[in-house]
Amino acid sequence: MSISRKECITQTAKNWAIAGAMILVYLIFALLSANFRTGENAVLILRQVATIAVMGCGMSFVIIGGNFDLSVGSLLSLCCCMCIDLHDKIGPIPAILVTFLVGIASGMVCGFLVGYLRLNSMIVTLGMMNVLQALTLMYTGGSSVMLKDQNVWFGQIGKGSLGPIPYVTIIMVIVIAAYAILLNKTVFGHHVLAVGSNDQACRYSGINDKRVIFNTFILSGLSTAIGAILLCSRGGAAQTTIGQSYEFDVITGVILGGASLNGGSGNIVKTFIGVAIIGILKNGFVILGLPYYLQWLAQCIIILLAVWMAIRAARKKALS
């Protein structure tokens, strides 16, 4: 075996170490609990991570582009409540379309403020988070909403399966594939990577970085709307706080998947793996009967380790 081939294999192993970490975490819980390693539980994990994984696809574009979107949790609440409420008023298809429009509109507002007005993304989306939560409370009057008939076909999106494979998993895979192709195989995806790496250089080279950033937030809003449909169709109901803390889960998954906090690098498939690790940990903790607060502690430790490893890798690359 030549030296170059060894280096290539070593580099590939480093790049996909996150996949090995996911397998290791799964095996640890499988050894600790017989209930965890059942096929039914594996399907349950796939159902549970679908919404976060879909939202993570859009968040990946925002973070790779050099920004953050803290408003996705509140947007998820608004989209879920509107979709469930409008389902019985105007029908499922129009309700789904309105949900898409709400997600896109939220992304356009954030994208305009961050991309065209050059405002700080964390401040903008933090403010938007409060605005969207207020809109959710205003829309519902502070009450939860529920489908009148829990057996309608809309509910099968979240609860139904094609054989052993849940519909939400199929939708999740389609979204992941579409966003991965958009990032890796299109001019827009290359522009997102370039803007995240050096937006000033992009402006000099003729890339419209304002439009690129604007579009990344639209993708985040759209993916959140899709995630909302998967989430609310599964439960057939929505509370005003249903999306609370989802932004933390989504950002944790994206960063754990290797996306750079400074922008310019990231991978959609790795984002799914990062989200899957979070889902496995949460599911495993519940099955083992560990306290809920340990989930937050574990997530905090994981995200700190991921950030530390990313900074360490960046420093090594800069010194080499």
Side-chain angles (χ1 to χ4, degrees), residues 168-310:
V168 292
T169 301
I170 297 172
I171 296 172
M172 177 184 70
V173 170
I174 292 172
V175 172
I176 290 172
Y179 275 68
I181 292 171
L182 184 62
L183 179 63
N184 299 319
K185 302 295 182 180
T186 67
V187 173
F188 170 72
H190 294 156
H191 285 177
V192 173
L193 290 164
V195 169
S197 298
N198 192 327
D199 59 340
Q200 188 173 4
C202 289
R203 289 197 293 272
Y204 292 147
S205 64
I207 296 175
N208 189 338
D209 62 319
K210 296 180 180 179
R211 183 183 299 171
V212 171
I213 293 172
F214 179 76
N215 289 333
T216 60
F217 278 94
I218 290 178
L219 288 174
S220 179
L222 176 60
S223 65
T224 301
I226 297 172
I229 292 168
L230 301 183
L231 180 62
C232 68
S233 64
R234 183 182 173 197
Q239 297 178 332
T240 56
T241 57
I242 191 172
Q244 189 174 16
S245 80
Y246 266 76
E247 64 277 354
F248 184 58
D249 290 339
V250 173
I251 292 174
T252 301
V254 175
I255 295 175
L256 189 58
S260 172
L261 290 172
N262 296 320
S265 66
N267 185 290
I268 302 298
V269 176
K270 287 183 181 179
T271 291
F272 165 71
I273 296 174
V275 168
I277 291 176
I278 300 300
I280 291 169
L281 284 172
K282 286 188 172 185
N283 181 274
F285 284 154
V286 171
I287 288 179
L288 293 177
L290 297 177
Y292 183 78
Y293 59 80
L294 286 180
Q295 298 179 20
W296 292 95
L297 180 61
Q299 277 187 265
C300 180
I301 294 173
I302 288 170
I303 196 169
L304 288 175
L305 286 173
V307 171
W308 175 74
M309 291 173 66

Side-chain angles (χ1 to χ4, degrees), residues 47 153-160 166-168 229-230 233-235:
R47 287 188 189 275
W153 69 262
F154 177 77
Q156 292 303 308
I157 296 176
K159 294 180 285 190
Y167 290 135
V168 292
I229 292 168
L230 301 183
S233 64
R234 183 182 173 197

Side-chain angles (χ1 to χ4, degrees), residues 23-89:
I23 295 171
L24 178 61
V25 171
Y26 186 88
L27 290 176
I28 290 173
F29 280 111
L31 290 173
L32 292 175
S33 172
N35 293 328
F36 179 87
R37 56 178 180 263
T38 62
E40 291 81 0
N41 189 58
V43 172
L44 177 61
I45 293 174
L46 289 175
R47 287 188 189 275
Q48 291 173 335
V49 303
T51 294
I52 300 175
V54 168
M55 293 171 66
C57 291
M59 182 67 75
S60 293
F61 274 84
V62 173
I63 292 179
I64 292 170
N67 298 288
F68 280 92
D69 188 353
L70 301 177
S71 67
V72 293
S74 296
L75 179 59
L76 182 69
S77 296
L78 179 60
C79 287
C80 283
C81 289
M82 290 191 69
C83 189
I84 291 294
D85 182 65
L86 293 175
H87 178 280
D88 293 329
K89 293 180 178 178

